[in-house]
Amino acid sequence: MYRFKELLEANADKICALLTEEHGKVLDDARGELSRAIENVEYACGAPELLKGEYSKDVGPAIDSWSEFQPLGVVAGITPFNFPVMVPLWMYPTAIICGNTFVLKPSERTPSSSLFVASLLHEAGLPAGVINVVNGDKEAVDTILEDPRVKGVSFVGSTPIAEYIYTKGTAAGKRIQALGGAKNHALVMPDADLDNAVSSLMGAAYGSCGERCMAISVAVAIGNETADALVGKLSEELKDLKVGPGTDINNDMGPLITEPHMKKVRGLIDSGIKAGAELVVDGRELEVEGHENGNFLGACLFDRVTAEMQIYQEEIFGPVLCVVRVKTMEEAMKLINDHEYGNGTCIFTRDGEAARYFSDHIEVGMVGINVPLPVPVAYHSFGGFKRSLFGDLHIYGPDSIRFYTKRKTITQRWSSTGVREGAKFTFPSHS
Ligand code: NAD
């Protein structure tokens, strides 16, 4: 793992170039993805500490007991298009240090950087067969789910597929963690530092063209005064947003992943207009010179979105931010708690009491307080609530050590006195 980390750093330019060329995200964003990915390799370098097990001496007369964490065997990872470097590294560094072999099935839309990064493990000296990459789509996924040799599967992708993987995988007796889609709300309180909230929202809503599972896609403003100021400042900022090829370092936002996806996002924007939301900033007419057939879409900002609208209910996964106006914090929190997804959320406020109340009572797995993208660092674990996660354990960090191992508990007696006990017919106890 140490050698792998060095190779990732030495090949950073090549990895980020592959990522940007195939996915389209801007180069700086690719660099950010790689650096968060490397954190997971650093975490895995702590293998001896992470796998120490638990030990209790003298649990009974001359009896000691301990738990070991043994590998599951063959485990697999199925990953989405949007983080082809980082999400596989959420999985296999810890799976491998736990003693498993790993089969990665990357997204068929962005396989190149995933494949190249995995090949660096071979260069680092990992024995053949420990990391394997299989390209493909549903057929490859179903083969993995049906093969009895595969004991566990980590999945990251959209909610319908996550649910499918969880249902089919658990029915086949496999251990499954399946992370799904999201609709992440930012709550903007009247006392918030609005300039800070606006610059945070710009990156969180439009970074990577909104194609992030932690992207903020809804801003809930408390009171019309907050909403008016928020919409006004966001509209101003959006005038300077630069959209174009990710390889041009001056751009803030690249293209969407495919033409069908772009059409889906445009369809959702149309549905929002039809439903009566106010499209304050309209990015649909954007043309990028020299790339007229590209999947570019300018940033869009909707105001006066309401809970029954399709643009509020569905994950758009595009550069579209919806502003919802409510009167109270309770109303905002009910809205968030009632939503089917519960991946990430954040609150912008200067009031510590309100922030604590929010983090205590919000039904979401990852919470930011004045932090718009609260993606946990590698030594915590990542996962949502409700239909954003199917399974029990979150991904990477401490939970992943438990996910990729089975606990074996050993109870051992070595008497040093030579005394032997006769047969006992009562249940073993301390006495
Ligand atoms: P996707 O669900 O279309 O694809 C994910 C993986 O599933 C791919 O490897 C794909 O080949 C496979 N797949 C697709 N259709 C399948 C089918 N019918 N049967 C079996 N396997 C199938 O997701 P995507 O479009 O690549 O990624 C975007 C989605 O992923 C968004 O919903 C986003 O929120 C989510 N996502 C979630 C997280 C998270 O941590 N919760 C992180 C990143 C992305």
Side-chain angles (χ1 to χ4, degrees), residues 26 29 83 186 195-217 234 237-238 241 252-253 299 318-321 346 348 371-374:
V26 296
D29 196 22
F83 285 106
D195 289 335
N196 176 49
V198 166
S199 49
S200 294
L201 284 174
M202 287 292 294
Y206 302 107
S208 208
C209 219
E211 290 174 326
R212 290 180 183 146
C213 67
M214 288 292 275
I216 293 287
S217 48
L234 280 169
E237 290 283 322
L238 282 171
L241 192 85
D252 302 309
M253 202 170 90
V320 183
L321 177 64
C346 80
F348 291 103
V371 173
L373 294 177

Side-chain angles (χ1 to χ4, degrees), residues 117-187:
V117 165
S119 76
L120 294 177
L121 262 175
H122 282 184
E123 207 179 318
L126 196 74
V130 178
I131 177 90
N132 310 274
V133 181
V134 179
N135 282 309
D137 51 21
K138 180 172 168 52
E139 198 183 337
V141 170
D142 286 341
T143 305
I144 288 169
L145 291 176
E146 282 157 19
D147 193 315
R149 290 171 298 178
V150 177
K151 303 298 181 199
V153 176
S154 298
F155 171 87
V156 177
S158 60
T159 286
I161 311 299
E163 192 166 26
Y164 168 75
I165 303 275
Y166 184 76
T167 309
K168 195 171 159 90
T170 49
K174 298 184 198 309
R175 189 177 287 190
I176 306 286
Q177 54 179 185
L179 284 79
K183 193 80 176 177
N184 306 310
H185 299 64
L187 201 167

